[in-house]
Amino acid sequence: MSNEPIALREALASFDALWSPRIVTRVNDYDVRVAKVAGEHIWHVHEHTDEFFHVLEGELRIAVRDPDERSVTLPKGSVFTVPRGTEHKPYAPGGATILLFEPTGTLTVGDRHEEVPGHVDATTGHALS
């Protein structure tokens, strides 16, 4: 990890892949990741960790089943935490850029998930180039 300031705008400009987060830094045992998103992710669950979302640009929606299905809308500048064990599916009809906090090694498609389509990167995060 860098010991220099990281410009998020430059970090986001360094890649084009959707639903494929990049690790910008680490805080203790957590990754700080940025991602470009558009369309739908998949229904998935993180059994042992919460998932924090911060919308940098655009609008993100997150469908959650807690226990009834509902949708949370996050405009630019909003944050939302999906509690551990909650089935959820992020989607961004108009596209968005987001920042996430997750324990290092957390898989983007969770511990339980649907079949992973080709447009979703099942990863624990990629290093910035």
Side-chain angles (χ1 to χ4, degrees):
M1 292 289 108
S2 173
N3 61 355
E4 296 296 324
I6 299 165
L8 293 181
R9 187 174 310 272
E10 291 175 21
L12 285 159
S14 72
F15 67 97
D16 292 319
L18 298 175
W19 300 111
S20 183
R22 299 307 191 260
I23 301 166
V24 293
T25 193
R26 288 199 170 90
V27 178
N28 298 317
D29 297 331
Y30 279 75
D31 289 342
V32 178
R33 303 173 183 179
V34 292
K36 295 177 181 180
V37 299
E40 295 188 353
H41 197 269
I42 60 170
W43 282 104
H44 66 284
V45 175
H46 300 281
E47 296 290 358
H48 304 291
T49 185
D50 301 335
E51 187 171 17
F52 173 88
F53 294 86
H54 175 204
V55 179
L56 301 171
E57 293 290 336
E59 180 180 274
L60 180 70
R61 298 177 190 166
I62 304 174
V64 293
R65 293 179 176 150
D66 62 353
D68 297 324
E69 189 172 321
R70 66 185 177 103
S71 183
V72 177
T73 300
L74 300 161
K76 177 182 176 178
S78 296
V79 300
F80 182 73
T81 300
V82 175
R84 72 189 70 196
T86 301
E87 193 173 16
H88 61 287
K89 178 177 78 169
Y91 60 104
T97 57
I98 60 175
L99 182 137
L100 306 122
F101 287 110
E102 296 181 301
T104 298
T106 300
L107 192 60
T108 57
V109 295
D111 307 316
R112 287 187 289 122
H113 56 269
E114 296 178 345
E115 184 175 325
V116 180
H119 74 279
V120 173
D121 186 7
T123 180
T124 57
H126 300 283
L128 281 175
S129 45

